Amino acid sequence: VIESNAVPDPDVVQVDAGAGEYSVSVGPGQLDRIGAFVVGLAGVHRCAVISDSTVEKLYGARVTDSIQGAGVSCEIFTFEAGEARKTRKVWSILTDALLDGGFGRDSLVVALGGGVTGDLAGFVAATYMRGLPVLQVPTSVVAMVDSSVGGKTGVDTAAGKNLVGSFHPPVAVMIDPEVVRTLPTDQRSEGWVEAVKHGAIVDAAYFDSLEAEGPQLVAGEGDAVRRAVLRSVQIKAAVVSDDEKEGGARMALNFGHTLGHAIEAVSEYAMGHGSAVALGMLLEAELGERLGVTEPGTAQRLAGALQAIEISARLSDPCSLEAIEDFLARDKKAREGTPRFVLLRRIGEVDREFGWTRAVPREDIKAVLRSTWLSN
Amino acid sequence: VIESNAVPDPDVVQVDAGAGEYSVSVGPGQLDRIGAFVVGLAGVHRCAVISDSTVEKLYGARVTDSIQGAGVSCEIFTFEAGEARKTRKVWSILTDALLDGGFGRDSLVVALGGGVTGDLAGFVAATYMRGLPVLQVPTSVVAMVDSSVGGKTGVDTAAGKNLVGSFHPPVAVMIDPEVVRTLPTDQRSEGWVEAVKHGAIVDAAYFDSLEAEGPQLVAGEGDAVRRAVLRSVQIKAAVVSDDEKEGGARMALNFGHTLGHAIEAVSEYAMGHGSAVALGMLLEAELGERLGVTEPGTAQRLAGALQAIEISARLSDPCSLEAIEDFLARDKKAREGTPRFVLLRRIGEVDREFGWTRAVPREDIKAVLRSTWLSN
């Protein structure tokens, strides 16, 4: 058992998700504090840790040791790493494994891993005997700064990503920024894109600090990582607390994502989510500038920040322009066929002249897509 | 279009499910009022009616006509009737059919059918793009008096019934008691068992009226059905409003279900849910009397009411006693191996000396199981 005084107190951010408050703890050593947290949960007598094959090798034993060391029964369930496993089939297999293991309503699911694990294990928890509590323990940058907070869970289908799932807020999120060190560099860069988005939509000073500290963040240096994760969690927590189920403030988080999702889908997911969103943000900033909504020079500032976190976002194949336009026409956020966008007013502020989103004429979208790629 | 003044005003019961209020309307002709209801729902532009092959033939066109007549686009999706279809596989097929049909977040799911349809279509809605609204339109007695109110959705797995699912309260429940006429007689009898349970746990006068009106209820006579459905809905609504997610008052609804589930499972579902619960109630009343908790003669009164609704509950095979005891040891509601029971104090009142449930020594359970069957 790790002595509790060996681990410094974490920073704690409260999220009020309507269905119940939960806290997000950010601090080095949190991985070793999971057992101490679990033992304090009323009604929980068993833990099912769900992790992927990569993260399980790195951190599985440390987490199960912490839980068992606190005197709580614990088993780990592993699936093969990769977005391709975020399916109803793997969800079924994990559910059946828990049922075979005799896990009842007195169980806690611990989601240990990146965004795929959080979404998949969260959906197992959401649908197991009509809902088990889930503890989110994100180990990737994107899961720390984005997907572990907010309660979205789900899986992909042939028709698209995240089309099957539910809102199931966690009982808590525990973030150990030191695990970022063990990620591949490009995964770190991809993850910081969502942090840049947080700065772009609500906090210009944070945006500037991300650009200034880009090299440390990409290197995974503990203190820079801790501070950025904390600020992003604060922003995400504030937004989802205002708007649990997406219809108001949460819409702002879609900045860069209307075009980002289209680009990602058209690349058949060969392009990472972060890179696609980075490109989406640049294009949506160009779009806002073209429409006179976004302060001139904003796209240029975004490009600078993205460069600092070592994202070079560009589309390899200009022939896919039409495919992107087709995708937009079918996007689930589109209302009656007209794509809607979150546009910036300037770095740190979203335009709200017509609510959180505005419909943009197809000609302007086409013009921005074409001009931007031609200039690359 | 049916003229609205051709349909009498329904009785309306409010349910406060924490996540949001909804109303249950009970009245003849409600099936023709679905379109008028749907057109008033903000943000809903399309309907996906989900029904089974039997109910679709009887009422599918009437419901889609009502919705289309109100000017809302509507498609019907049908699965083969039967509890055997309440699976993750059929849930996936229905989900994919809606995705292929391009249903987006502006869609409403209409669950038209009995308990299987309500649970299955409710689970499709709960997990489609993280939750579409669902309108429950129950067409069986058991769905009207029990399963359509309360927000439970889910499917069965090889490991047991309702092990995968979620809480997803409907936007409304619309009940047309006249459809009860088209059910087979034995399905009506099975359904009224849950109504007898409602009387037994909270309303002795209602219990007496069910016994008195048994013949009309079994025959499906409109006004008797309407009054009984309304009273059961009021009771269920009061209970689930107090306790959305089962931990307090809702526990009382489990009267007869600890043994009922065991009997149903051991029969490999050859015995209907209503018959199994009827037998479970009789046995749990005997158990309560044996323990000195339940007023003597209560089991006898239950037997009278069950006879009035033409349920003759008995186990065909006394050799399954051990199987029932084994099942109880693994029941998900058991805590640390001791089965817990909701016991009556008398008809119309649940014993609460030790909370909503109490642990009962195995010897007493065995004794009741054995003596009761030996006397049959």
Side-chain angles (χ1 to χ4, degrees):
Chain A
V1 184
I2 305 287
E3 303 236 323
S4 64
N5 56 9
V7 176
D9 283 344
D11 291 293
V12 178
V13 180
Q14 286 299 123
V15 182
D16 182 356
E21 264 192 42
Y22 59 92
S23 63
V24 185
S25 309
V26 181
Q30 285 299 292
L31 235 41
D32 306 309
R33 301 290 298 150
I34 293 172
F37 172 80
V38 167
V39 85
L41 285 177
V44 170
H45 300 106
R46 292 183 75 182
C47 283
V49 179
I50 296 179
S51 196
D52 73 25
S53 47
T54 306
V55 174
E56 190 272 337
K57 283 193 198 80
L58 290 166
Y59 301 112
R62 205 167 139 196
V63 169
T64 54
D65 284 356
S66 171
I67 296 169
Q68 286 163 349
V72 176
S73 155
C74 177
E75 279 176 63
I76 190 160
F77 299 86
T78 307
F79 62 94
E80 206 180 316
E83 177 89 26
R85 308 293 156 174
K86 203 177 117 180
T87 59
R88 286 175 289 198
K89 186 174 174 193
V90 176
W91 163 79
S92 288
I93 291 168
L94 289 166
T95 298
D96 289 340
L98 265 67
L99 287 170
D100 288 346
F103 283 84
R105 288 182 180 164
D106 60 348
S107 306
L108 172 78
V109 171
V110 179
L112 173 68
V116 168
T117 302
D119 284 2
L120 182 58
F123 191 52
V124 169
T127 55
Y128 194 87
M129 296 182 178
R130 298 195 199 97
L132 293 182
V134 61
L135 172 67
Q136 291 285 354
V137 184
T139 61
S140 72
V141 172
V142 69
M144 289 180 184
V145 301
D146 184 25
S147 55
S148 69
V149 177
K152 287 185 179 181
T153 74
V155 295
D156 305 331
T157 77
K161 288 177 75 174
N162 299 315
L163 292 174
V164 170
S166 61
F167 279 95
H168 188 60
V171 288
V173 184
M174 295 177 77
I175 299 179
D176 189 337
E178 307 225 305
V179 306
V180 166
R181 240 181 251 278
T182 54
L183 291 171
T185 301
D186 63 335
Q187 275 193 32
R188 282 196 291 260
S189 292
E190 289 268 322
W192 294 122
V193 171
E194 296 287 345
V196 169
K197 182 193 73 181
H198 291 146
I201 60 174
V202 295
D203 186 343
Y206 178 45
F207 182 92
D208 290 340
S209 76
L210 289 166
E211 181 162 6
E213 300 202 77
Q216 294 92 304
L217 293 171
V218 173
E221 285 182 18
D223 204 54
V225 169
R226 185 188 59 73
R227 279 180 285 112
V229 167
L230 180 61
R231 184 67 195 123
S232 270
V233 165
Q234 287 168 337
I235 292 171
K236 180 100 195 246
V239 169
V240 303
S241 293
D242 281 352
D243 179 28
E244 189 197 355
K245 289 198 182 171
E246 207 159 0
R250 197 165 184 157
M251 297 292 281
L253 297 171
N254 287 328
F255 174 59
H257 280 62
T258 305
L259 285 170
H261 279 148
I263 291 163
E264 198 181 2
V266 165
S267 82
E268 289 175 345
Y269 300 95
M271 182 179 265
H273 180 72
S275 297
V277 169
L279 189 47
M281 289 197 290
L282 286 175
L283 292 167
E284 294 181 14
E286 297 273 9
L287 189 59
E289 292 185 37
R290 178 184 168 88
L291 294 167
V293 172
T294 304
E295 189 173 79
T298 300
Q300 199 54 46
R301 286 186 65 193
L302 268 167
L306 293 168
Q307 199 167 23
I309 59 165
E310 294 180 19
I311 285 282
S312 60
R314 66 183 60 201
L315 200 70
S316 47
D317 177 11
C319 301
S320 49
L321 284 180
E322 276 180 27
I324 291 171
E325 287 160 16
D326 280 354
F327 182 91
L328 287 176
R330 290 179 297 110
D331 191 65
K332 65 185 171 188
K333 285 177 201 74
R335 294 266 175 87
E336 287 150 31
T338 313
R340 299 186 70 87
F341 290 86
V342 173
L343 295 178
L344 297 184
R345 193 163 171 130
R346 60 178 66 83
I347 292 295
E349 187 183 348
V350 168
D351 165 66
R352 294 193 53 191
E353 191 178 345
F354 301 102
W356 292 100
T357 60
R358 71 161 81 200
V360 171
R362 294 197 176 279
E363 307 80 76
D364 291 296
I365 302 168
K366 282 190 192 183
V368 164
L369 285 170
R370 276 162 224 283
S371 71
T372 307
W373 271 310
L374 290 177
S375 71
N376 262 359
Chain B
V1 182
I2 305 285
E3 303 238 321
S4 64
N5 55 8
V7 176
D9 282 345
D11 290 294
V12 179
V13 180
Q14 286 299 122
V15 182
D16 182 357
E21 265 191 41
Y22 58 93
S23 63
V24 185
S25 309
V26 181
Q30 286 300 290
L31 235 43
D32 305 309
R33 301 291 297 151
I34 294 173
F37 173 79
V38 167
V39 84
L41 285 175
V44 169
H45 301 107
R46 289 184 75 182
C47 283
V49 178
I50 296 179
S51 196
D52 73 25
S53 46
T54 306
V55 174
E56 189 270 337
K57 282 192 199 82
L58 290 166
Y59 301 112
R62 204 167 139 196
V63 169
T64 54
D65 284 355
S66 172
I67 296 169
Q68 287 164 346
V72 177
S73 152
C74 177
E75 278 177 62
I76 190 159
F77 299 86
T78 307
F79 63 94
E80 206 180 316
E83 177 90 27
R85 307 294 155 174
K86 205 179 116 180
T87 60
R88 286 174 290 199
K89 188 173 172 194
V90 176
W91 162 79
S92 289
I93 291 169
L94 288 167
T95 299
D96 289 340
L98 265 67
L99 288 169
D100 288 346
F103 284 84
R105 287 180 181 166
D106 60 349
S107 307
L108 172 78
V109 172
V110 178
L112 174 68
V116 168
T117 302
D119 286 3
L120 182 58
F123 191 51
V124 169
T127 56
Y128 194 88
M129 295 182 180
R130 298 193 199 99
L132 293 184
V134 62
L135 171 67
Q136 291 284 354
V137 184
T139 60
S140 72
V141 172
V142 69
M144 289 179 184
V145 300
D146 186 26
S147 57
S148 68
V149 178
K152 288 186 179 180
T153 74
V155 295
D156 305 331
T157 78
K161 288 177 72 175
N162 298 315
L163 292 172
V164 170
S166 62
F167 280 94
H168 187 61
V171 285
V173 184
M174 295 177 78
I175 300 180
D176 189 336
E178 308 224 308
V179 306
V180 166
R181 240 182 251 277
T182 54
L183 291 171
T185 301
D186 63 334
Q187 274 194 34
R188 282 195 292 258
S189 292
E190 290 268 321
W192 294 121
V193 170
E194 297 287 345
V196 168
K197 183 194 73 182
H198 291 146
I201 61 175
V202 295
D203 186 343
Y206 177 45
F207 182 91
D208 291 339
S209 75
L210 290 166
E211 183 164 2
E213 299 202 79
Q216 293 92 305
L217 294 171
V218 173
E221 285 181 17
D223 203 54
V225 169
R226 185 187 59 75
R227 279 180 286 113
V229 167
L230 179 61
R231 184 66 194 125
S232 269
V233 165
Q234 286 168 338
I235 292 170
K236 180 101 195 249
V239 169
V240 304
S241 293
D242 281 353
D243 179 27
E244 189 197 355
K245 288 200 184 171
E246 209 162 358
R250 197 163 182 157
M251 297 291 280
L253 297 171
N254 287 328
F255 173 59
H257 280 63
T258 306
L259 286 170
H261 278 149
I263 291 164
E264 196 182 2
V266 165
S267 83
E268 288 173 343
Y269 300 95
M271 182 179 265
H273 180 72
S275 297
V277 168
L279 189 48
M281 288 198 289
L282 285 175
L283 292 167
E284 294 181 14
E286 296 272 10
L287 190 59
E289 291 185 38
R290 179 185 168 89
L291 295 166
V293 173
T294 305
E295 190 173 79
T298 301
Q300 200 54 47
R301 285 186 68 191
L302 269 166
L306 294 167
Q307 201 167 19
I309 59 164
E310 293 179 21
I311 285 281
S312 61
R314 63 186 58 203
L315 202 69
S316 47
D317 177 11
C319 300
S320 50
L321 284 180
E322 277 181 27
I324 291 171
E325 286 160 19
D326 281 356
F327 183 91
L328 288 175
R330 290 178 294 109
D331 190 69
K332 65 187 172 190
K333 284 175 199 80
R335 293 267 176 86
E336 287 149 31
T338 313
R340 300 185 71 89
F341 290 86
V342 174
L343 295 177
L344 298 184
R345 194 166 171 129
R346 61 178 66 84
I347 293 296
E349 187 182 350
V350 168
D351 166 66
R352 296 194 50 191
E353 191 177 343
F354 301 103
W356 292 100
T357 60
R358 71 162 78 200
V360 171
R362 293 198 176 281
E363 303 77 63
D364 291 297
I365 302 167
K366 282 189 191 182
V368 163
L369 285 172
R370 276 162 226 284
S371 72
T372 307
W373 273 310
L374 290 176
S375 72
N376 265 355

